[in-house]
Amino acid sequence: MFLTLASLITDIPFTAGMDMVAYQDPSDHGLKVFFKGDVIDLEPVMPEKITMGKGLFTYIDRSGALKVFQDGKSHTALDFTPDEYFVKDSLMVIKDKSLCKLYHDGLTETVLPYWPSMWAARWGTFAYIDANGSMGVWRSGKTSTVMQREPIKAISIDRGLIMISLTNNATKVWWKGEIYTP
C-alpha cells in the first residue's frame, strides 16, 4: 500500500528514521511527520535541522525550544536552545552550560552537574567518565559506578554491552552490572 504525501513535486526536504519520516510540506512549508500510517502536522515552520534517532527525532522550534517528537506527540525537552545536543538511538544527550542532561521517554533529567570528559550512548545506555576518573553508567533512570580510577582510552556500547578499552591495551566488558576481563 502506498500513500501519496504530495503530488507534482520534484523535491521535498525530508529526514527518515526506522519508523517515521519528517518532511517539509510543499504547500505551507511547515513540518509534517509520517508516523504509523498517519500524517501529523507538527510545526508551522520547518526547522533548520532535524536529528533522527530510534523512535524519536529532535529539532529546535521557531521559539528556540528544543523539541522531541516521540510516540506520536511533540514534547518540549528544554524551553531554550542548549549549547549542544546529540541523538543516540532512543536517547538525547544534552550539554546545557556545564550540565549533562538526558532526554528519555518524555523526561529531561540532569545526570551530571558537569560535562563528562568522555562518554558514549546507545541502546538506552549512557556511559561516562566522571570528575573523579571513575566510569559510570546510566540506564533506565538509574546511575551506577562501574569502574573506579582506571585509565580508560575509549568506551563503546552495543546492545547494552559496554566495551572499555584501557590505555594499557587491555579490554574490559560491562554486562548487566558486572565487569568481565576477556
Side-chain angles (χ1 to χ4, degrees):
M1 177 177 129
F2 290 98
L3 174 68
T4 302
L5 299 176
S7 57
L8 304 174
I9 304 296
T10 57
D11 187 32
I12 295 177
F14 73 94
T15 304
M18 292 176 47
D19 52 0
M20 64 186 87
V21 177
Y23 66 97
Q24 184 175 24
D25 185 326
S27 62
D28 68 6
H29 302 288
L31 172 61
K32 290 201 175 179
V33 181
F34 179 70
F35 177 72
K36 293 189 176 182
D38 293 323
V39 174
I40 301 167
D41 193 358
L42 200 57
E43 296 283 339
V45 177
M46 183 71 176
E48 288 183 31
K49 177 178 123 181
I50 293 173
T51 307
M52 200 58 81
K54 182 179 173 187
L56 59 79
F57 70 84
T58 64
Y59 62 96
I60 304 293
D61 74 3
R62 67 180 173 174
S63 74
L66 176 59
K67 298 282 192 101
V68 179
F69 178 83
Q70 184 178 36
D71 297 326
K73 296 181 226 158
S74 179
H75 306 271
T76 301
L78 295 173
D79 291 329
F80 55 90
T81 304
D83 298 335
E84 295 180 272
Y85 61 95
F86 310 88
V87 176
K88 303 292 183 180
D89 294 331
S90 60
L91 292 176
M92 179 172 48
V93 181
I94 304 166
K95 182 178 184 182
D96 174 23
K97 296 179 182 52
S98 63
L99 303 176
C100 178
K101 298 180 177 183
L102 289 179
Y103 173 90
H104 62 96
D105 299 327
L107 302 169
T108 301
E109 70 175 87
T110 300
V111 177
L112 299 168
Y114 53 85
W115 188 250
S117 60
M118 181 187 309
W119 62 272
R122 277 189 83 198
W123 295 90
T125 302
F126 177 68
Y128 58 89
I129 305 304
D130 70 15
N132 297 320
S134 297
M135 184 175 149
V137 171
W138 177 97
R139 184 161 176 80
S140 302
K142 295 183 174 114
T143 303
S144 60
T145 300
V146 172
M147 291 182 356
Q148 294 186 352
R149 296 179 187 89
E150 292 199 42
I152 297 172
K153 181 170 57 175
I155 306 166
S156 62
I157 302 172
D158 190 18
R159 300 182 186 261
L161 180 88
I162 302 175
M163 300 290 291
I164 307 155
S165 300
L166 303 176
T167 56
N168 64 0
N169 292 328
T171 300
K172 293 190 177 192
V173 177
W174 180 88
W175 175 250
K176 295 187 176 181
E178 298 291 325
I179 289 282
Y180 301 92
T181 304

